Amino acid sequence: SKLAALFEHPLYNIPIPEVTEKDKLFIVNPMEKFSLHSSGSDEWVSSSKAETLLPTGKTAYDTYPTWLKFHVGINRYELYPRRDPLLPTLLQDLATQRIVSSVQKSGGTQLKLIMTFPNYGQALFKPMKQTRDQETPIDFFYFSDFERHNAEIAAFHLDRILDFRRIPPVSGRLVNITKEIRDVTTDKKLAKTFFISPAGNVCFYGECSYYCSTEHALCGKPDRLEGSMAALLPDKTLAKRRSWRSPWRRSYHKSKKAEWELNPNYCAQVRETPPYDRGRRLLDLIDMTILDFLMGNMDRHHYETFEKFGNDTFLLHLDNGRGFGTHSRDEPSILAPLQQCCSIKKSTYLRLQLLATQPYRLSDLLREALATDPLAPVLAEPHLWALDRRLGKVLAAVGHCLAR
């Protein structure tokens, strides 16, 4: 396994700083045990009530479902550890746990659903809108492109291969629209949008600002539909997140350009603006830029951080559905932060160089990682080949900076 060899490599075993209590997202009460109520009702019981339901000798942590262990493991430096024993189980849960509730997620431009499992875990479901080999038309604006379910799956694995570990775990899943969405939804607005197509397939379209109409309905075969299931982050009431506007955000206008597109010295003013004037924030943003360039994602207008950790923490790489839309062309403007600032983390640069060598070729590693997903093959082959070409361009951009 090339993937196993990669994670054994010294560059993937650089220790993170020691994690103290204040570096953890949650401080766990070692006495607080959780269990599902024996009656099967939808409520957690904790502490004294749970004692009678739990085998003696278990620590509180042992009683947590996998999704809760994932939340408890988040710290200032990483969303999950490199050698996370929970990861296979969490991905399996996303792919197989029974869906007990399905409601539409509010906000956003396209239809997304929140799925709830019997153990109170939740996932964000993005349905399949187009086939693997459909490229984004060349005349499409980036902001009117479809979101792709397979891009969410591939982005999670690519982020892990790059050793960023800033995307929550995502698995593909084949969902039964009738039994796992329509029959279990409590969302009246969503329920009104189900219909049977002339071909006899079960369809729905939900409510959203783009692509939520009978012309853009999501239809099963006859009721089976592919989608991505992403583990949800802790509720914002428990762990506040701050949303940051990216300095290299696009104009989202059909004819206007953003300032960074007009001013080649734009990075100089970003470097003087908090929080980019100190610490690792600018370098973390350049990491995100590299991830986006490799995927061809032009839609990174905001990013988030956990408020508890202040400015000294990693960026969350959320919402990657507009990646992997094109393989036949690259979008050099995505790399503007790297090219204008001429800065990159040494560890990131060394890993990118490693991923350009034959034993650790990036396309081979991602192909291997995606082969275990329930919806494999997740990406069409040309998208994997494009990764190697784009990696060469990132290294060339760094080379150009070094020459300057």
Side-chain angles (χ1 to χ4, degrees):
S1 163
K2 286 191 174 186
L3 213 48
L6 180 79
F7 293 138
E8 290 299 325
H9 193 280
L11 286 174
Y12 285 76
N13 287 281
I14 300 166
I16 65 164
E18 186 187 350
V19 178
T20 63
E21 288 293 287
K22 72 177 191 306
D23 295 324
K24 294 176 180 175
L25 189 60
F26 295 116
I27 307 300
V28 179
N29 177 353
M31 304 306 292
E32 196 76 29
K33 294 183 179 180
F34 287 95
S35 172
L36 290 175
H37 202 284
S38 55
S39 70
S41 72
D42 283 1
E43 69 173 290
W44 281 109
V45 287
S46 68
S47 343
S48 54
K49 286 186 201 166
E51 293 300 324
T52 55
L53 304 176
L54 294 167
T56 52
K58 270 195 172 185
T59 67
Y61 182 80
D62 290 333
T63 71
Y64 295 175
T66 313
W67 65 266
L68 192 53
K69 289 179 180 175
F70 162 57
H71 288 179
V72 166
I74 298 169
N75 63 56
R76 179 185 300 278
Y77 306 106
E78 56 191 6
L79 200 50
Y80 57 89
R82 282 191 191 100
R83 301 175 189 283
D84 188 358
L86 297 174
L87 208 52
T89 315
L90 186 54
L91 292 173
Q92 175 79 3
D93 283 356
L94 292 168
T96 60
Q97 279 257 339
R98 185 165 61 86
I99 295 167
V100 296
S101 163
S102 160
V103 295
Q104 188 168 343
K105 184 180 187 295
S106 58
T109 58
Q110 299 184 32
L111 180 80
K112 298 182 274 288
L113 303 177
I114 304 269
M115 307 295 214
T116 306
F117 304 129
N119 66 4
Y120 301 96
Q122 290 190 314
L124 183 65
F125 177 75
K126 285 194 178 179
M128 174 174 171
K129 294 194 174 81
Q130 55 193 103
T131 60
R132 307 278 194 279
D133 50 7
Q134 277 181 278
E135 277 205 275
T136 304
I138 200 159
D139 292 323
F140 257 41
F141 287 103
Y142 52 89
F143 47 81
S144 58
D145 193 11
F146 281 123
E147 290 186 11
R148 284 165 286 277
H149 71 302
N150 58 326
E152 295 285 358
I153 303 164
F156 160 67
H157 289 282
L158 178 61
D159 178 79
R160 185 166 173 247
I161 287 165
L162 294 170
D163 200 41
F164 297 154
R165 288 168 290 116
R166 298 167 199 165
I167 296 179
V170 185
S171 171
R173 178 162 178 160
L174 203 54
V175 167
N176 183 307
I177 297 176
T178 306
K179 293 177 181 171
E180 296 180 307
I181 302 178
R182 191 192 71 186
D183 292 356
V184 296
T185 190
T186 53
D187 186 332
K188 290 188 174 69
K189 287 182 180 176
L190 177 65
K192 284 178 184 170
T193 69
F194 285 86
F195 64 93
I196 306 294
S197 75
N201 295 322
V202 182
C203 307
F204 68 105
Y205 53 87
E207 283 196 353
C208 61
S209 53
Y210 280 84
Y211 305 131
C212 283
S213 62
T214 46
E215 293 79 21
H216 295 104
L218 302 155
C219 296
K221 291 183 178 176
D223 54 7
R224 311 282 279 174
L225 178 68
E226 279 189 18
S228 61
M229 297 280 273
L232 282 192
L233 291 171
D235 193 281
K236 287 182 181 177
T237 56
L238 301 172
K240 285 184 182 169
R241 302 201 298 274
R242 182 165 175 186
S243 180
W244 303 80
R245 187 185 170 117
S246 169
W248 279 271
R249 180 184 188 271
R250 295 176 186 278
S251 67
Y252 288 83
H253 192 279
K254 292 184 177 74
S255 54
K256 278 185 191 166
K257 291 198 166 187
E259 190 183 346
W260 59 267
E261 294 177 278
L262 303 169
N263 177 6
N265 298 316
Y266 178 75
C267 186
Q269 68 190 56
V270 175
R271 284 186 189 278
E272 292 173 5
T273 310
Y276 305 101
D277 57 343
R278 54 168 292 277
R280 51 182 273 192
R281 178 61 64 91
L282 182 60
L283 291 171
D284 276 352
L285 188 120
I286 288 167
D287 280 350
M288 185 167 65
T289 292
I290 291 165
L291 172 76
D292 282 336
F293 177 72
L294 293 172
M295 297 192 294
N297 176 28
M298 298 171 69
D299 191 36
R300 187 74 68 186
H301 43 82
H302 285 80
Y303 62 85
E304 294 183 18
T305 57
F306 287 109
E307 210 168 82
K308 178 179 179 180
F309 304 135
N311 290 342
D312 187 21
T313 186
F314 63 90
L315 319 184
L316 289 158
H317 299 166
L318 305 176
D319 229 357
N320 303 288
R322 287 200 170 124
F324 297 104
T326 55
H327 52 70
S328 56
R329 55 190 187 274
D330 304 332
E331 183 48 60
S333 66
I334 301 173
L335 277 185
L338 171 64
Q339 292 164 330
Q340 292 179 355
C341 300
C342 267
S343 296
I344 187 171
K345 280 185 198 158
K346 185 178 179 183
S347 57
T348 298
Y349 181 47
L350 292 174
R351 278 196 294 272
L352 293 174
Q353 286 181 308
L354 182 70
L355 296 170
T357 63
Q358 184 59 39
Y360 301 101
R361 190 196 297 268
L362 181 55
S363 57
D364 293 342
L365 292 162
L366 188 58
R367 186 184 294 106
E368 183 188 325
L370 295 176
T372 59
D373 189 84
L375 300 183
V378 172
L379 290 177
E381 277 296 307
H383 284 290
L384 293 165
W385 306 332
L387 280 175
D388 297 327
R389 179 182 73 235
R390 290 169 185 165
L391 176 57
K393 290 184 178 181
V394 175
L395 292 172
V398 179
H400 186 65
C401 284
L402 290 170
R404 277 165 60 192

